[in-house]
Amino acid sequence: MSPTGPLTDDGLVRLLTHTGERVSHPEYDRYVDHLDDHALLGLLRDMVIVRRFDTEATSLQRQGELALFAQGLGQEAAQVGSGRALAPQDHVFPSYREHGVAHVRGVDLTDVLRLFRGVDHGGWDSAAHRFHLYTLVIGSHTLHATGYAMGVQRDGDVGTGDPTRDTAVITYFGDGATSQGDVNEALVFAAVNNAPVVLFCQNNQWAISEPTTRQARVPLADRGPGFGVPSVRVDGNDVLATYAVTTQALERARSGGGPTFIEAFTYRMGAHTTSDDPSRYRSSAEEEYWRQRDPIDRLGTYLQLRGAVTPEFLAGLEAEGEALGEHIRATVRTMGRPSTASMFEHVYATPHSVVESERAWFERYEASFLDAGEGSHR
Ligand SMILES: Cc1ncc(C[n+]2csc(CCOP(=O)(O)OP(=O)(O)O)c2C)c(N)n1
């Protein structure tokens, strides 16, 4: 057992220090060496845009436009780095905080807010984006991801050597989720079936008010080898490192090498959700420690040191953020209420007689108010 407990940052793969210096890593350098200034600025842009989304959504919740919001603040590098490592044909099974991954999968982030406004269970086309619906039941989607990966394997879309065909599945979950049976069962199935799945744990240190020390006595990545799943601990606030380790894990999955467990060591800088008050259970010293390790500042400093950041880039990014803010505010305020009958849609993939008879009953019930001359029901 590790004498340092689950909060140690020992053994983290890191390519950028928290002061923005590039450090070499014998195994992982080769996964990022091809990234030129343009690509690195793209990663910075992704993270800044996603953080702007967070800020706007949090304000809208405070104004009563959203029922709830779960911020991804502080986890941008873990999400953008891993998300950018995906191939178009890969599949993502997220929990409920993966807005950064949604963004890099091309989901319009206002569609994510349809869920938080309560007008839709999802809001985006999960097949088109290969980004499945958010899951609020902690850990259950790791089983869906593993099962899906076993299906991909049985379809013969693994290990063919065709880079446009070979497919991996990735699933995102938190440190608290590792205490759930579902996640442990997913690890068993992934291991014994050699499933092409990457289990990406964002250890953001807190499961609402429960710290990681209440979830484990050892670093979370130590769990993987017990199931026979290779594991990596990565600095989750280092976008280059998360890109590198995820690229390697996805390549292993696509080539038939089986699953990988990744622990991205990061920090939830915001509250658990807008219903939570973290000042009740964590210290300002802890928050300050992590503010010094901000993932956006880290990459931004590195790019400044490289001389890659121009005034034009910064102006463009500012304009992009403003446009996104306007788009979010305008779109959310005009999201209409769903019709009550829409609850009968998408229950099953194909028509189902029970659902159809319930829909017919409901339509008769609604119409009865009109027959009674009330104009509309109350
Ligand atoms: C099966 C289940 N149990 C309990 C909850 C209530 N719950 C919602 S979020 C949460 C904490 C999750 O923490 P973690 O997995 O670390 O993810 P994070 O929110 O930190 O990203 C809990 C216990 C739930 N949604 N589902």
Side-chain angles (χ1 to χ4, degrees):
M1 187 160 81
S2 163
T4 38
L7 291 181
T8 174
D9 64 1
D10 292 353
L12 297 183
V13 175
R14 181 177 288 137
L15 299 176
L16 279 182
T17 67
H18 79 274
T19 50
E21 284 130 31
R22 177 76 169 82
V23 284
S24 177
H25 192 290
E27 190 176 352
Y28 290 101
D29 279 347
R30 68 190 181 92
Y31 293 101
V32 297
D33 281 346
H34 67 287
L35 298 176
D36 58 11
D37 283 356
H38 179 73
L40 294 170
L41 288 169
L43 294 173
L44 185 67
R45 169 183 280 120
D46 285 336
M47 293 198 288
V48 169
I49 290 297
V50 167
R51 186 167 291 185
R52 176 63 183 250
F53 166 73
D54 257 71
T55 314
E56 291 289 341
T58 304
S59 302
L60 284 170
Q61 195 281 333
R62 294 295 183 237
Q63 292 162 27
E65 298 288 349
L66 301 177
L68 181 82
F69 186 61
Q71 289 181 309
L73 199 69
Q75 298 178 219
E76 294 89 353
Q79 299 195 4
V80 167
S82 59
R84 283 289 175 210
L86 293 162
Q89 69 270 22
D90 294 338
H91 283 264
V92 182
F93 287 75
S95 50
Y96 45 74
R97 205 187 286 287
E98 271 68 77
H99 321 315
V101 190
H103 169 66
V104 302
R105 290 308 272 181
V107 174
D108 180 333
L109 289 175
T110 58
D111 285 340
V112 169
L113 298 181
R114 299 180 69 77
L115 174 72
F116 289 105
R117 191 170 165 96
V119 299
D120 205 308
H121 291 306
W124 58 91
D125 183 340
S126 55
H129 297 285
R130 296 188 170 227
F131 182 80
H132 293 260
L133 298 186
Y134 276 5
T135 308
L136 276 69
V137 180
I138 300 296
S140 64
H141 59 295
T142 60
L143 289 168
H144 309 157
T146 303
Y148 202 96
M150 289 164 61
V152 165
Q153 188 183 46
R154 281 153 180 73
D155 284 346
D157 292 337
V158 173
T160 70
D162 177 351
T164 62
R165 175 169 176 189
D166 288 339
T167 303
V169 177
I170 189 167
T171 179
Y172 291 85
F173 52 95
D175 41 289
T178 63
S179 301
Q180 287 288 120
D182 284 0
V183 175
N184 292 271
E185 290 158 21
L187 279 158
V188 170
F189 270 79
V192 299
N193 291 288
N194 209 40
V197 62
V198 177
L199 296 121
F200 194 99
C201 173
Q202 289 171 88
N203 178 1
N204 68 8
Q205 318 284 332
W206 290 94
I208 314 185
S209 56
E210 291 290 288
T212 318
T213 46
R214 298 279 298 164
Q215 313 290 338
R217 297 288 297 278
V218 297
L220 298 177
D222 285 9
R223 293 192 174 169
F227 291 94
V229 175
S231 298
V232 191
R233 297 195 87 209
V234 60
D235 186 330
N237 284 16
D238 174 351
V239 71
L240 296 187
T242 57
Y243 177 83
V245 301
T246 314
T247 301
Q248 184 194 53
L250 291 166
E251 283 179 6
R252 176 185 298 148
R254 291 188 210 107
S255 66
T260 305
F261 182 96
I262 296 174
E263 177 193 355
F265 194 72
T266 181
Y267 191 71
R268 188 195 81 212
M269 279 162 67
H272 169 71
T273 66
T274 45
S275 302
D276 171 47
D277 173 8
S279 69
R280 302 274 298 269
Y281 55 81
R282 73 185 187 193
S283 70
S284 50
E286 178 183 310
E287 290 174 8
E288 187 48 38
Y289 174 86
W290 283 97
R291 209 164 296 143
Q292 308 274 332
R293 282 152 184 76
D294 186 289
I296 296 181
D297 291 350
R298 186 180 303 200
L299 182 64
T301 307
Y302 172 60
L303 287 168
Q304 294 280 3
L305 293 172
R306 266 171 83 108
V309 181
T310 62
E312 294 73 38
F313 173 79
L314 292 176
L317 195 48
E318 178 67 20
E320 212 176 316
E322 287 302 314
L324 177 71
E326 277 171 33
H327 173 58
I328 292 171
R329 293 190 296 274
T331 309
V332 165
R333 293 202 168 100
T334 54
M335 280 174 187
R337 282 165 175 270
S339 73
T340 322
S342 66
M343 72 175 114
F344 298 101
E345 291 163 13
H346 310 303
V347 179
Y348 291 98
T350 49
H352 191 288
S353 59
V354 173
V355 176
E356 289 313 316
S357 73
E358 286 177 349
R359 184 206 295 268
W361 177 88
F362 185 74
E363 281 167 0
R364 279 198 306 281
Y365 174 74
E366 291 269 276
S368 70
F369 292 96
L370 293 173
D371 293 346
E374 291 191 22
S376 69
H377 69 88
R378 280 187 282 266

